[in-house]
Amino acid sequence: EGPGQTATLSASPTRPCPYGMHTIISQLGRTWLSLRAIPKTLIFNGRYFGFAGLFHLPVLVSHRVVLERLAGQIVVKPSLPRFSIRIGFGSVGLFDRTRSHTVFENEGTIDFQGAASIGHGSKLSVGPNGTLIFGDRAHIIAESSVRCAKQITLGARCLISWQNLIMDQDFHKIFDMNDPTGTPTNPDKEIVIGPDVWIGCRCTILKGAVIGPGAVVASGSLVTGVWNDGHQLLGGNPCRVLRNTISWRV
């Protein structure tokens, strides 16, 4: 500096880190979870798709999934990209996913018609005569249970929120004491959830229920019977139409 001048130290402007620490930690966490998923992913794909499945790997299975029973069959499209079906992943802030285990039990048929996601803590149980159908991009968020004894269809792009129960049977048979044939009075009945349906949290969808396309089911509802007009807001116990001609988006 010249005479009478005071030296000034100025810090050069700092460039923000392109990746914040939170982003880096999140990415490392996802990578770690993917690595821990390798054993069960290989077991699952090898069991259902044979040697070719070990290269194709259409299904990614979290290490937190309990593989209760790997029987029956799984149907996927041959052109489905790797890891298009994810079981046991996702995160909902209301639940402790480190202690939440997904349960997979299959003795029947599970038909994936495209990509699908079954979130952490969810339980799938398909009986020997059951067929569970996932439409393309059907999504179960977390902690929901599906019991299929006959047939359950989750339509394309449907969204099943957390802590829902969907079952097409009563588990126990009920008989008319005056009927000498001994025919049960409560047979299993198919459930159809149409495309683009949003099921709110803590709903119960029972056997015989039909929900039309584009419908929304309010939280805490009990759904039985046929509601196939589509684009309806359904809710309550018993379920009723709260509004018609509705649409929704994420």
Side-chain angles (χ1 to χ4, degrees), residues 14-232:
T14 58
R15 295 181 180 178
C17 178
Y19 299 102
M21 184 58 67
H22 177 73
T23 302
I24 294 172
I25 292 174
S26 297
Q27 184 60 48
L28 289 173
R30 286 192 292 268
T31 301
W32 175 238
L33 289 177
S34 297
L35 290 173
R36 297 185 72 182
I38 290 174
K40 289 186 178 180
T41 295
L42 293 177
I43 291 170
F44 191 98
N45 286 277
R47 162 61 184 84
Y48 282 111
F49 310 116
F51 188 73
L54 298 177
F55 293 92
H56 184 202
L57 295 175
V59 184
L60 182 65
V61 182
S62 168
H63 71 282
R64 298 193 185 100
V65 176
V66 177
L67 300 177
E68 186 71 27
R69 186 163 177 80
L70 298 179
Q73 64 175 340
I74 289 183
V75 180
V76 299
K77 293 182 176 180
S79 59
L80 199 64
R82 178 171 294 176
F83 301 150
S84 292
I85 301 163
R86 299 170 61 90
I87 302 177
F89 292 93
S91 176
V92 176
L94 295 174
F95 306 109
D96 182 0
R97 67 176 183 176
T98 62
R99 294 177 173 82
S100 179
H101 293 277
T102 301
V103 178
F104 183 91
E105 179 185 48
N106 180 31
E107 298 179 283
T109 300
I110 302 179
D111 183 358
F112 291 100
Q113 299 181 346
S117 176
I118 301 164
H120 74 85
S122 296
K123 284 81 176 173
L124 296 187
S125 177
V126 182
N129 300 315
T131 300
L132 177 58
I133 301 172
F134 284 84
D136 185 31
R137 289 177 285 162
H139 183 31
I140 299 175
I141 293 181
E143 302 285 347
S144 288
S145 299
V146 179
R147 168 60 186 176
C148 177
K150 186 173 184 179
Q151 182 165 311
I152 296 175
T153 301
L154 307 179
R157 300 170 302 279
C158 74
L159 180 64
I160 311 296
S161 189
W162 60 80
Q163 292 185 336
N164 286 294
L165 173 63
I166 302 172
M167 60 181 187
D168 62 359
Q169 67 168 173
D170 296 332
F171 283 98
H172 306 290
K173 301 299 183 183
I174 300 175
F175 303 93
D176 183 347
M177 295 177 63
N178 297 317
D179 182 0
T181 65
T183 303
T185 61
N186 60 331
D188 304 337
K189 295 181 181 179
E190 177 182 356
I191 292 174
V192 178
I193 298 175
D196 303 303
V197 169
W198 172 19
I199 307 293
C201 64
R202 298 183 179 133
C203 293
T204 300
I205 314 296
L206 295 180
K207 65 179 190 178
V210 177
I211 302 173
V216 174
V217 180
S219 299
S221 299
L222 171 65
V223 182
T224 61
V226 178
W227 309 88
N228 59 4
D229 287 346
H231 297 283
Q232 294 177 316

